[in-house]
Amino acid sequence: MRNSFLVIFFLLLISEKSQSQSFSVAGAFARMGFGARGMGMGNAMTSIVIGELNTYYNPALSAFSQSRIAAATFSILSLDRHLNFLSYTQSIKPTAGLSVGLINAGVGNIDGRDNDGIHTENYSTFENQFYLSFSNRVHEDVSIGITIKLYYSKLFEQVKSTTVGFDVGTIIHIIDGLTGGIVLQDLGSKYLWSTKEIYPDPLGKNTTNKFPTLRRIALSYYFEKFGGTISAEYENSTSGLNLLRFGAEYAILEYFQIRGGVDRIGLEENFTGTKPSFGFTIVKAINGWKPAISYSFIFESFAPHGMHIITLSTKF
C-alpha cells in the first residue's frame, strides 16, 4: 500500500507540462479554497483527517468524520468580488461518509457604457458550484471517495453555462499520526458558452473553456500529545503549473486554535502568486453542540488588500 503511494507520487512528478497557468483559465473561483480553516492553512488540507473536515479538498475525507458538521462562510474581498460557501458533512455508519456543499462567487458593480462612453447600467457576473461527495473506508487505513460537481455560471445576460465535473480521491493512514492523500480534481469540467442569443449570425459563436485537471498529493502529521498538525502538498495541473502548499495548526487552549500557511508556492521561474495566510478558531461546547467561529486573512499580491474569511460552524 505504501509502495503504491510512492509510485503515484513519482508519476505526478513527471507529468507533462504546458505553458499556461491554472489560475488564469476557466473555473479559477473553484480553486481559491474553502472556508476559513482551509484557507487559513494555505489550503494544505488534502490529507488532514482531524477536526472539521471538508470534502472540497478530498472526496475521501467524509468517511473519517466523527460527527455531523454544518458550516457557512462569507468573505470580504476587494474589487467588488464576493465569495461564499455552505457545507454539510456527516458519517454513514459503519464506514462511509457523505458531504454536500456550495461555492458562490462573482463580481458586481461592473460599469457598463455605450459606444459614446456614457454609463448605461451596472452589470454583474456569478459562478456557482454545487457538489455531492461520497466516500467509504475500504480498509481500516484506506478510504476512497468521489465528488459530483454541478457548475452554473453567468457571464452576461443570456450567456450562461451549466456543466458537470468529477473529483476522485483517496486517504491512506501510513503510520500513527501520519496520513497521505491523493486527489484528481475537475475531471471533465468545462464551460460551454453561446453568444447566439444576443448576436445575430455570423457574429454569435459557441465557445468551450476547459478547466485544468488538478493532480495533488499530500502528507500531514498530527501531534496528538500537543494538539498540533502540520501538512504539505504538491500539485500539478494539466495547464502546466506546479505548486507547493504548507500549513500548520495548533490548539493553544481547548477552545482556541491558531493556524497559518502558504498557498501557491510556484516551482516555475518568475512565479509571483504566493499567498501567505493566518487565522484562528474559537469553539465552545453547548449541550452536545460545538458552535465555532473561524477567521482567516489571506494576502493577495495582485489586489489592493487581502481577503477576510469568516466561517460559522457547528458540530452536533
Side-chain angles (χ1 to χ4, degrees):
M1 183 188 307
R2 293 167 190 167
N3 289 337
S4 298
F5 187 84
L6 294 175
V7 169
I8 295 172
F9 176 60
F10 178 73
L11 291 175
L12 288 175
L13 284 175
I14 63 175
S15 58
E16 183 176 353
K17 209 178 156 184
S18 65
Q19 298 301 314
S20 60
Q21 294 187 354
S22 65
F23 303 112
S24 60
V25 292
F29 84 101
R31 297 185 289 275
M32 295 180 69
F34 198 108
R37 186 192 185 205
M39 297 176 75
M41 288 187 68
N43 288 317
M45 300 289 290
T46 299
S47 62
I48 293 180
V49 297
I50 301 297
E52 292 189 4
L53 307 181
N54 197 298
T55 56
Y56 165 89
Y57 295 100
N58 190 334
L61 286 171
S62 60
F64 291 89
S65 180
Q66 300 298 313
S67 60
R68 292 170 291 180
I69 306 169
T73 300
F74 68 94
S75 309
I76 302 173
L77 281 67
S78 59
L79 305 175
D80 294 314
R81 298 170 296 163
H82 64 264
L83 183 65
N84 307 297
F85 310 95
L86 291 173
S87 66
Y88 173 79
T89 303
Q90 72 166 61
S91 62
I92 302 176
K93 302 299 182 182
T95 60
L98 178 73
S99 181
V100 295
L102 165 68
I103 305 174
N104 166 256
V107 180
N109 296 321
I110 300 173
D111 186 12
R113 294 178 179 269
D114 61 20
N115 291 335
D116 296 321
I118 298 174
H119 175 79
T120 55
E121 61 181 296
N122 288 328
Y123 296 99
S124 63
T125 67
F126 66 75
E127 296 182 88
N128 295 307
Q129 180 200 109
F130 306 89
Y131 70 82
L132 171 65
S133 300
F134 177 80
S135 64
N136 188 38
R137 297 173 73 169
V138 297
H139 181 275
E140 182 182 358
D141 295 325
V142 180
S143 72
I144 58 174
I146 184 171
T147 296
I148 302 173
K149 304 192 290 189
L150 173 67
Y151 289 95
Y152 175 62
S153 303
K154 184 194 81 168
L155 185 61
F156 177 79
E157 295 183 354
Q158 298 100 325
V159 184
K160 299 179 181 180
S161 179
T162 303
T163 188
V164 175
F166 301 89
D167 299 348
V168 293
T170 185
I171 291 289
I172 303 172
H173 178 232
I174 302 172
I175 59 174
D176 287 346
L178 181 63
T179 305
I182 301 172
V183 172
L184 296 176
Q185 192 169 1
D186 272 321
L187 298 168
S189 300
K190 58 186 175 183
Y191 282 149
L192 302 174
W193 305 106
S194 176
T195 57
K196 293 184 178 180
E197 294 290 329
I198 57 176
Y199 293 118
D201 288 334
L203 296 178
K205 295 182 179 180
N206 294 325
T207 303
T208 300
N209 295 136
K210 293 183 178 180
F211 290 29
T213 297
L214 309 182
R215 298 166 287 210
R216 191 162 61 247
I217 188 166
L219 291 171
S220 63
Y221 190 85
Y222 175 62
F223 298 88
E224 185 175 4
K225 182 177 180 180
F226 304 104
T229 302
I230 58 174
S231 60
E233 298 186 4
Y234 166 76
E235 180 181 281
N236 166 266
S237 79
T238 53
S239 66
L241 191 62
N242 296 280
L243 298 173
L244 295 176
R245 296 186 179 92
F246 298 97
E249 184 178 63
Y250 176 63
I252 297 179
L253 301 169
E254 182 181 357
Y255 56 86
F256 186 69
Q257 303 169 349
I258 58 172
R259 60 184 59 92
V262 184
D263 189 7
R264 301 183 185 179
I265 303 173
L267 301 182
E268 282 74 25
E269 186 177 357
N270 298 323
F271 182 83
T272 56
T274 302
K275 299 174 69 173
S277 59
F278 64 88
F280 63 85
T281 292
I282 301 173
V283 59
K284 176 66 174 178
I286 303 175
N287 296 326
W289 293 57
K290 284 190 175 181
I293 180 170
S294 301
Y295 167 81
S296 289
F297 181 84
I298 296 90
F299 293 89
E300 288 192 291
S301 55
F302 302 112
H305 59 75
M307 303 167 59
H308 303 272
I309 312 295
I310 302 169
T311 297
L312 303 176
S313 63
T314 185
K315 294 181 181 180
F316 56 99

